[in-house]
Amino acid sequence: MPGDVQKNPVEKIPALSRQRLGDQIADVLRKQILLGELRPGSNIPERETASALGVSRTPLREALLILEVEGLVIMAPARSPIVANPSLEDLTQLLLVQSALEALAGECACEEITNDEFDHIESLHLHMLASSDISDDSLDFFSTDMAFHEAIVASTKNPPLIKTHRQYNARLWRARFMSSRRKIKRASTLRDHTNIVEGLKKRDKAQTSAALGEHLRIAITNIAGIFAREDNPE
Amino acid sequence: MPGDVQKNPVEKIPALSRQRLGDQIADVLRKQILLGELRPGSNIPERETASALGVSRTPLREALLILEVEGLVIMAPARSPIVANPSLEDLTQLLLVQSALEALAGECACEEITNDEFDHIESLHLHMLASSDISDDSLDFFSTDMAFHEAIVASTKNPPLIKTHRQYNARLWRARFMSSRRKIKRASTLRDHTNIVEGLKKRDKAQTSAALGEHLRIAITNIAGIFAREDNPE
DNA sequence: GACCATTATTTGGTATACCAAATACATTGA
DNA sequence: TCAATGTATTTGGTATACCAAATAATGGTC
């Protein structure tokens, strides 16, 4: 296969580093999974992947283990590790937890958020508002959406909450990306975000928390729609 | 040192098994951490621990990595891994997330719980009620308390929620155990539990969820009390 | 021709050997 | 005597070699 970049990857691990190699590999693989370069259900054979990345199996296994604990990779005995391929039910359950986490984040954010952090979140919101009409760039809209939510969680300054939220986001990333490509839904997304920003501006715990929680529960139905459309395409 | 079980452990890993050795070691170490056999802040040197357990460093490192992702162990470059020693602030943040998870669990449980599961939860509650007066066995009271909460979460049949809740429980275990030894607090614990059981019986989402969330938020102040007492002992 | 058994190959799991960085200790000079 | 430097030891990080189980392919038999 000409042009096969899998065997001679550009994203080679740099020779020296300050961080554990396994962590770096985990970052690379996680990114590849999120971007869809490693498709759900696909194999990640240890030897092949290790040599493709220019590392040995030991740190690669560390990376796979991390991703397994995070729920992005499934490892079974005597089987190649595979990229998790969550069902609609899985995604629904994940999203339910994520909605509770974000509801909590909204509550905490009202107490902990600084003015600078709020300004940043508001600017992300304004960017989405502006780009939703004029731009076709789904990826930009989507990544700003993700950054918006992550910034809110980050403003809580609660490391476990931030970490857990990030892990759930990783498992939901792909589904939410697929869902975000339905431009029809952008209006309701932006309306929800407006509520969230307003709640944050007033430091109104109840409004912020409820808006965030509700926002993600709506996302559940959107994702269900994607699944239905895949099963009965057009 | 005579009788030193650390070097010649009873809990040796059985030779053959169906499960990954690293996972089993992680279970052993997790248990030792929870039971306080491995004290917070203590070192877990790789070579020494590996030979003490009768395994090689590779699966031991797998176990340590799992525990690091779970937040029970801290690994720093060129440093022995150490058992996490969460500060009061850490515990507060963890408990806040855990309270949100349990509040969600209460909501979901009202929809998903079976009669058998409810009966089991109620029997745990009754056991605690009965044993609180007559028994001095803190460990029994505490472990039943933990089982009570875990059973509620389990009844949601939401695997990610169950897993995340279990991980947070592991990090909170020690602090909650210390806290549970203050028998003074048992009455309020049991009152909270009664509310929870009542809510579940009626399948009342609002009551169950609120009771569970509030229950853990109270635990925060109890644990803060433990810390204050340690700093100014009697 | 089909099915079962056996073998060879590929997989992940584990142990070991090697390496580099960091630390602690000792020795030497001021 | 104290401090600074250099060396030796201990640490975790990584690569490699070995092992066992599972699978797939092939050959023999019914």
Side-chain angles (χ1 to χ4, degrees):
Chain A
M1 187 197 299
D4 187 355
V5 295
Q6 195 74 348
K7 295 287 182 181
N8 187 14
V10 184
E11 336 200 29
K12 195 107 163 252
I13 308 290
L16 66 86
S17 53
R18 77 292 170 199
Q19 199 191 0
R20 217 161 34 204
L21 190 52
D23 291 334
Q24 300 177 52
I25 299 173
D27 289 340
V28 170
L29 292 180
R30 195 183 296 108
K31 190 178 166 191
Q32 292 187 349
I33 291 173
L34 297 189
L35 267 52
E37 296 171 27
L38 282 173
R39 306 271 279 282
S42 64
N43 286 13
I44 313 178
E46 297 188 358
R47 287 169 225 277
E48 189 181 330
T49 310
S51 74
L53 266 61
V55 298
S56 84
R57 284 178 58 208
T58 307
L60 174 67
R61 275 180 63 83
E62 282 199 15
L64 290 172
L65 214 71
I66 292 171
L67 297 176
E68 191 204 22
V69 176
E70 291 183 0
L72 284 176
V73 161
I74 312 287
M75 294 176 80
R79 282 276 186 293
S80 281
I82 60 177
V83 179
N85 189 11
S87 66
L88 175 58
E89 188 186 6
D90 294 334
L91 293 170
T92 301
Q93 293 166 338
L94 289 168
L95 220 32
L96 206 55
V97 178
Q98 184 77 316
S99 75
L101 293 176
E102 293 211 356
L104 171 65
E107 212 172 300
C108 298
C110 288
E111 289 187 347
E112 300 291 341
I113 197 169
T114 66
N115 289 332
D116 281 355
E117 286 168 339
F118 174 77
D119 290 345
H120 178 233
I121 290 167
E122 191 177 36
S123 76
L124 289 171
H125 177 48
L126 295 175
H127 176 72
M128 287 179 71
L129 276 174
S131 70
S132 72
D133 303 325
I134 59 177
S135 162
D136 258 358
D137 191 348
S138 311
L139 185 56
D140 177 64
F141 188 83
F142 173 68
S143 59
T144 309
D145 190 359
M146 290 290 109
F148 176 82
H149 287 268
E150 278 181 7
I152 292 172
V153 177
S155 76
T156 67
K157 287 135 195 111
N158 184 327
L161 177 58
I162 294 168
K163 184 177 173 187
T164 305
H165 178 265
R166 192 198 315 278
Q167 288 181 4
Y168 274 83
N169 244 2
R171 298 173 72 174
L172 288 165
W173 197 282
R174 185 174 174 78
R176 296 193 68 181
F177 177 62
M178 304 291 285
S179 168
S180 79
R181 300 176 67 176
R182 308 294 302 176
K183 285 171 67 174
I184 310 297
K185 303 297 184 185
R186 285 190 181 179
S188 90
T189 296
L190 292 171
R191 214 176 313 123
D192 289 350
H193 283 202
T194 302
N195 275 334
I196 295 165
V197 172
E198 274 181 10
L200 273 178
K201 186 167 205 163
K202 294 184 290 187
R203 308 293 196 270
D204 182 331
K205 285 189 190 180
Q207 176 177 347
T208 309
S209 175
L212 276 164
E214 193 57 30
H215 181 50
L216 278 195
R217 298 213 180 193
I218 288 174
I220 295 176
T221 65
N222 291 346
I223 287 177
I226 298 287
F227 266 74
R229 200 166 290 110
E230 272 181 5
D231 292 342
N232 296 357
E234 307 306 293
Chain B
M1 187 196 299
D4 186 355
V5 295
Q6 195 74 346
K7 294 287 182 179
N8 187 15
V10 184
E11 337 200 28
K12 195 102 164 258
I13 308 290
L16 66 86
S17 54
R18 77 292 172 199
Q19 199 192 358
R20 216 163 30 204
L21 190 52
D23 290 334
Q24 301 176 51
I25 299 173
D27 289 340
V28 170
L29 292 180
R30 194 184 296 109
K31 191 178 165 190
Q32 292 188 349
I33 291 173
L34 297 189
L35 267 52
E37 296 171 27
L38 284 172
R39 306 269 279 282
S42 64
N43 286 13
I44 313 179
E46 297 187 357
R47 288 169 168 82
E48 187 181 332
T49 310
S51 74
L53 266 63
V55 299
S56 84
R57 283 179 59 206
T58 307
L60 174 67
R61 275 181 64 84
E62 282 199 15
L64 290 171
L65 213 70
I66 292 171
L67 298 175
E68 191 204 23
V69 177
E70 292 183 0
L72 283 177
V73 161
I74 311 287
M75 292 176 81
R79 282 277 185 295
S80 281
I82 60 177
V83 179
N85 189 11
S87 66
L88 175 58
E89 187 186 7
D90 294 333
L91 293 170
T92 302
Q93 293 166 338
L94 290 167
L95 263 174
L96 207 56
V97 178
Q98 184 77 314
S99 75
L101 293 176
E102 292 212 357
L104 171 65
E107 214 172 299
C108 297
C110 287
E111 288 187 348
E112 301 291 341
I113 196 169
T114 66
N115 289 332
D116 281 354
E117 286 167 339
F118 174 77
D119 290 343
H120 178 233
I121 290 167
E122 191 178 34
S123 77
L124 289 172
H125 176 49
L126 295 175
H127 176 72
M128 287 179 71
L129 276 174
S131 71
S132 71
D133 304 323
I134 60 176
S135 163
D136 257 359
D137 191 347
S138 312
L139 185 56
D140 177 65
F141 189 84
F142 172 68
S143 59
T144 309
D145 189 0
M146 292 289 108
F148 176 82
H149 287 268
E150 278 181 8
I152 293 173
V153 177
S155 75
T156 66
K157 289 138 195 104
N158 183 327
L161 176 58
I162 294 168
K163 184 177 172 186
T164 304
H165 178 265
R166 192 197 316 277
Q167 287 180 4
Y168 273 83
N169 244 2
R171 298 173 73 173
L172 288 165
W173 198 280
R174 186 174 173 76
R176 296 192 69 181
F177 177 62
M178 303 291 287
S179 168
S180 80
R181 300 175 68 175
R182 308 296 300 178
K183 286 171 69 175
I184 311 299
K185 304 296 183 185
R186 286 191 180 177
S188 91
T189 296
L190 291 171
R191 215 177 312 125
D192 289 349
H193 283 201
T194 302
N195 276 334
I196 295 166
V197 171
E198 274 181 9
L200 273 178
K201 187 167 204 163
K202 295 184 289 188
R203 307 295 197 266
D204 183 329
K205 284 189 191 180
Q207 176 177 348
T208 309
S209 175
L212 275 163
E214 192 57 29
H215 181 50
L216 278 194
R217 298 213 180 194
I218 287 173
I220 294 176
T221 64
N222 290 347
I223 287 177
I226 297 288
F227 266 74
R229 201 164 290 110
E230 272 180 6
D231 292 342
N232 296 356
E234 306 307 294

Short mmCIF file of all heavy atoms in Angstrom, two decimals, chain A residues 47 61 79-80, chain C residues 11-14:
data_model
loop_
_atom_site.label_atom_id
_atom_site.label_comp_id
_atom_site.label_asym_id
_atom_site.label_seq_id
_atom_site.Cartn_x
_atom_site.Cartn_y
_atom_site.Cartn_z
N ARG A 47 3.27 -5.52 19.11
CA ARG A 47 4.57 -5.45 18.42
C ARG A 47 4.51 -4.46 17.26
O ARG A 47 5.38 -3.59 17.11
CB ARG A 47 4.95 -6.83 17.89
CG ARG A 47 5.39 -7.80 18.97
CD ARG A 47 5.51 -9.22 18.41
NE ARG A 47 4.90 -10.19 19.30
CZ ARG A 47 5.52 -10.71 20.37
NH1 ARG A 47 6.75 -10.36 20.62
NH2 ARG A 47 4.92 -11.55 21.15
N ARG A 61 2.82 -0.91 26.26
CA ARG A 61 1.86 -1.59 27.14
C ARG A 61 1.44 -0.68 28.28
O ARG A 61 0.27 -0.68 28.68
CB ARG A 61 2.47 -2.88 27.69
CG ARG A 61 2.30 -4.06 26.74
CD ARG A 61 2.91 -5.32 27.34
NE ARG A 61 2.24 -5.73 28.56
CZ ARG A 61 1.12 -6.45 28.59
NH1 ARG A 61 0.57 -6.82 27.47
NH2 ARG A 61 0.56 -6.78 29.73
N ARG A 79 -5.73 -11.61 23.18
CA ARG A 79 -6.37 -10.85 22.10
C ARG A 79 -5.66 -9.52 21.94
O ARG A 79 -5.23 -8.94 22.93
CB ARG A 79 -7.84 -10.57 22.42
CG ARG A 79 -8.77 -11.73 22.20
CD ARG A 79 -9.19 -11.79 20.74
NE ARG A 79 -10.18 -12.81 20.51
CZ ARG A 79 -9.96 -14.11 20.65
NH1 ARG A 79 -8.76 -14.54 21.03
NH2 ARG A 79 -10.92 -14.97 20.42
N SER A 80 -5.55 -9.06 20.71
CA SER A 80 -5.02 -7.72 20.51
C SER A 80 -5.90 -6.73 21.23
O SER A 80 -7.12 -6.86 21.21
CB SER A 80 -4.98 -7.38 19.02
OG SER A 80 -3.89 -7.98 18.39
P DT C 11 0.61 -11.09 15.58
OP1 DT C 11 -0.12 -10.12 14.75
OP2 DT C 11 2.09 -11.01 15.72
"O5'" DT C 11 -0.03 -11.10 17.04
"C5'" DT C 11 -1.38 -11.54 17.23
"C4'" DT C 11 -1.63 -11.82 18.69
"O4'" DT C 11 -1.04 -13.12 19.00
"C3'" DT C 11 -0.94 -10.88 19.66
"O3'" DT C 11 -1.78 -9.78 19.93
"C2'" DT C 11 -0.79 -11.74 20.91
"C1'" DT C 11 -0.70 -13.16 20.36
N1 DT C 11 0.66 -13.76 20.46
C2 DT C 11 0.90 -14.69 21.44
O2 DT C 11 0.07 -15.02 22.26
N3 DT C 11 2.18 -15.19 21.44
C4 DT C 11 3.21 -14.87 20.57
O4 DT C 11 4.30 -15.39 20.65
C5 DT C 11 2.88 -13.88 19.57
C7 DT C 11 3.92 -13.45 18.58
C6 DT C 11 1.63 -13.38 19.57
P DG C 12 -1.21 -8.56 20.77
OP1 DG C 12 -2.15 -7.43 20.64
OP2 DG C 12 0.19 -8.39 20.36
"O5'" DG C 12 -1.24 -9.11 22.26
"C5'" DG C 12 -2.47 -9.48 22.84
"C4'" DG C 12 -2.25 -10.30 24.09
"O4'" DG C 12 -1.24 -11.32 23.87
"C3'" DG C 12 -1.77 -9.52 25.31
"O3'" DG C 12 -2.33 -10.11 26.47
"C2'" DG C 12 -0.27 -9.73 25.25
"C1'" DG C 12 -0.21 -11.19 24.82
N9 DG C 12 1.05 -11.58 24.19
C8 DG C 12 1.60 -11.02 23.07
N7 DG C 12 2.74 -11.57 22.74
C5 DG C 12 2.95 -12.53 23.70
C6 DG C 12 4.03 -13.44 23.87
O6 DG C 12 5.02 -13.57 23.15
N1 DG C 12 3.85 -14.24 25.00
C2 DG C 12 2.77 -14.18 25.85
N2 DG C 12 2.79 -15.02 26.89
N3 DG C 12 1.76 -13.34 25.70
C4 DG C 12 1.92 -12.55 24.61
P DG C 13 -2.01 -9.47 27.89
OP1 DG C 13 -3.22 -9.58 28.72
OP2 DG C 13 -1.36 -8.16 27.67
"O5'" DG C 13 -0.92 -10.49 28.46
"C5'" DG C 13 -1.39 -11.67 29.12
"C4'" DG C 13 -0.25 -12.28 29.91
"O4'" DG C 13 0.86 -12.57 29.04
"C3'" DG C 13 0.31 -11.39 31.02
"O3'" DG C 13 0.49 -12.18 32.20
"C2'" DG C 13 1.63 -10.89 30.47
"C1'" DG C 13 2.06 -12.05 29.58
N9 DG C 13 2.93 -11.65 28.47
C8 DG C 13 2.68 -10.66 27.56
N7 DG C 13 3.64 -10.52 26.67
C5 DG C 13 4.57 -11.49 27.03
C6 DG C 13 5.81 -11.82 26.43
O6 DG C 13 6.36 -11.32 25.46
N1 DG C 13 6.43 -12.87 27.12
C2 DG C 13 5.92 -13.51 28.22
N2 DG C 13 6.66 -14.48 28.73
N3 DG C 13 4.76 -13.20 28.78
C4 DG C 13 4.14 -12.19 28.13
P DT C 14 0.92 -11.54 33.52
OP1 DT C 14 0.31 -12.31 34.61
OP2 DT C 14 0.72 -10.08 33.41
"O5'" DT C 14 2.50 -11.83 33.52
"C5'" DT C 14 2.94 -13.18 33.54
"C4'" DT C 14 4.44 -13.21 33.42
"O4'" DT C 14 4.85 -12.69 32.15
"C3'" DT C 14 5.20 -12.40 34.46
"O3'" DT C 14 5.83 -13.32 35.34
"C2'" DT C 14 6.21 -11.55 33.66
"C1'" DT C 14 6.16 -12.17 32.28
N1 DT C 14 6.38 -11.25 31.13
C2 DT C 14 7.48 -11.42 30.34
O2 DT C 14 8.31 -12.28 30.55
N3 DT C 14 7.59 -10.54 29.30
C4 DT C 14 6.71 -9.53 28.97
O4 DT C 14 6.91 -8.80 28.01
C5 DT C 14 5.57 -9.40 29.83
C7 DT C 14 4.53 -8.34 29.58
C6 DT C 14 5.46 -10.27 30.85
#
